[in-house]
Amino acid sequence: MTDPITILIPAHNEARVIGDTLARLHDPGGERPDDMRIVVSANGCDDETVSIVTRGWPQVSVVDLPEPAKVKALKACIEHHEGAGPLVILDADIQVSLADIRALVAPLWAKVDPDEPVLAAVGHFE
């Protein structure tokens, strides 16, 4: 098995959308797929973002930072990255599916030319 995909979600006061975002990143029964890890970096939240994640999604790692700072939130998430699998960074209000994430990282695993590996992929929604 390849290393899991790590999905990093910086979140500042995203209580309104974080549950829907996480639901789309889980199987219909609410189970996190074995090929993915999810880390939410709540930064300076003064709403229910952290409690929504910890109550509803116990399999999601949460980094709770005291101040609102997206760069620090991203750095904190990256520190929780395990292994060499792909990193996917999502805003908390981006609604993507498991299939979307897998399609995004597929070129990273393709290894078409081992001498020139694909190091990054960017998605575009219409």
Side-chain angles (χ1 to χ4, degrees):
M1 180 175 157
T2 58
D3 289 317
I5 301 163
T6 300
I7 301 171
L8 310 177
I9 305 174
H12 173 69
N13 290 341
E14 299 288 359
R16 185 178 55 81
V17 295
I18 195 71
D20 289 340
T21 300
L22 293 174
R24 292 173 187 262
L25 297 173
H26 287 75
D27 291 329
E31 295 297 315
R32 179 182 50 85
D34 290 338
D35 64 342
M36 295 190 191
R37 281 186 75 245
I38 302 171
V39 179
V40 172
S41 185
N43 58 101
C45 293
D46 57 13
D47 67 356
E48 298 297 314
T49 299
V50 173
S51 63
I52 289 169
V53 177
T54 56
R55 279 193 330 256
W57 307 99
Q59 65 277 41
V60 172
S61 299
V62 178
V63 178
D64 192 3
L65 303 174
E67 65 181 285
K70 193 167 193 172
V71 172
K72 288 182 181 179
L74 287 169
K75 286 181 180 180
C77 280
I78 290 169
E79 288 174 6
H80 280 62
H81 178 5
E82 297 173 3
L87 292 173
V88 175
I89 299 171
L90 294 179
D91 278 344
D93 60 351
I94 300 292
Q95 304 292 311
V96 297
S97 68
L98 291 172
D100 295 331
I101 297 294
R102 289 183 178 120
L104 177 68
V105 301
L108 302 174
W109 282 323
K111 300 186 190 230
V112 176
D113 183 349
D115 294 326
E116 294 185 29
V118 177
L119 300 176
V122 176
H124 175 67
F125 285 98
E126 296 181 6

